[in-house]
């Protein structure tokens, strides 16, 4: 019997799709769902050249683990979950986050991966600064995040 895997990675190194696929692959699973978030080249009419991510690593990993646990409670057939998030500078078109989930059937894998990214954006203390072509920069708040809101 294959061991269930939860792989959480916060790194300044470029992310690897192949690494995520190897972490979530499971012999009983016919559905692998992967969400990839990349740095886009614009925001609010400004040309973005890169993003910079920072986090409180210990708290971020704890929150990601809670999201993975919650995901498994909602989709009990989910086998393996990988949540890899890049820190530091992430140039345009580079991957900033990869979420991979395996399940025996595609419907659960797809639904669970959507749930994971939405919960990550709303609950995990990872902060993003946009660096623009003109040299200016601005910290961006996740619209989904409710930190400090009353």
């Amino acid at each position: 019997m294959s061991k269930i895997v939860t792989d959480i990675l916060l790194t300044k190194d470029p992310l690897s799709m192949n690494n995520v696929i190897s972490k979530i692959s499971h012999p009983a699973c016919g559905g692998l769902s992967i969400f990839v978030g990349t740095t886009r080249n614009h925001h609010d009419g400004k040309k973005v050249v890169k993003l910079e991510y920072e986090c409180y690593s210990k708290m971020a990993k704890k929150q990601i683990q809670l999201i993975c646990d919650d995901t498994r409670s909602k989709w009990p057939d989910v086998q393996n979950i990988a949540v890899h998030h890049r820190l530091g500078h992430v140039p345009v078109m580079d991957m900033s986050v990869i979420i991979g989930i395996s399940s025996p059937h595609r419907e659960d894998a797809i639904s669970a991966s959507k749930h994971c990214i939405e919960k990550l954006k709303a609950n995990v203390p990872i902060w993003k600064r946009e660096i623009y072509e003109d040299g200016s920069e601005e910290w961006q708040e996740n619209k989904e995040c409710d930190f400090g809101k009353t």
Side-chain angles (χ1 to χ4, degrees), residues 67-84:
I67 292 166
C68 293
D69 295 344
D70 179 58
T71 299
R72 284 201 173 89
S73 74
K74 291 179 180 352
W75 293 274
D77 287 341
V78 161
Q79 290 297 307
N80 298 330
I81 301 175
V83 178
H84 293 188

Side-chain angles (χ1 to χ4, degrees), residues 109-125:
I110 292 167
S111 296
S113 66
K114 182 178 189 302
H115 174 79
C116 254
I117 187 61
E118 297 300 330
K119 291 294 183 181
L120 183 141
K121 298 283 277 180
N123 297 301
V124 178

Side-chain angles (χ1 to χ4, degrees), residues 100-112:
I101 296 183
S102 61
S103 182
H105 304 286
R106 70 180 176 274
E107 295 87 1
D108 284 351
I110 292 167
S111 296

Side-chain angles (χ1 to χ4, degrees), residues 39-40 48-52 89-92 129-132:
T39 300
R40 65 178 171 268
V48 174
V49 294
K50 63 184 168 184
L51 300 178
E52 181 180 3
H89 290 119
V90 183
V92 170
R129 180 168 48 180
E130 292 180 338
I131 293 102
Y132 304 109

Side-chain angles (χ1 to χ4, degrees), residues 19 68 93:
N19 187 24
C68 293
M93 294 179 51

Side-chain angles (χ1 to χ4, degrees), residues 10-83:
L10 302 173
T11 181
K12 289 189 175 190
D13 296 328
L15 301 179
S16 165
M17 183 79 69
N18 288 338
N19 187 24
V20 169
I21 290 170
S22 74
K23 298 288 185 184
I24 66 169
S25 293
H26 188 281
C29 294
L32 301 181
S33 180
I34 298 176
F35 171 82
V36 177
T38 62
T39 300
R40 65 178 171 268
N41 68 358
H42 67 281
H43 182 255
D44 283 346
K46 296 180 184 176
K47 183 166 173 122
V48 174
V49 294
K50 63 184 168 184
L51 300 178
E52 181 180 3
Y53 288 96
E54 291 183 8
C55 78
Y56 174 34
S57 224
K58 187 175 180 179
M59 183 183 278
K61 287 179 179 180
K62 182 179 178 182
Q63 285 300 120
I64 293 168
Q65 182 64 56
L66 291 172
I67 292 166
C68 293
D69 295 344
D70 179 58
T71 299
R72 284 201 173 89
S73 74
K74 291 179 180 352
W75 293 274
D77 287 341
V78 161
Q79 290 297 307
N80 298 330
I81 301 175
V83 178

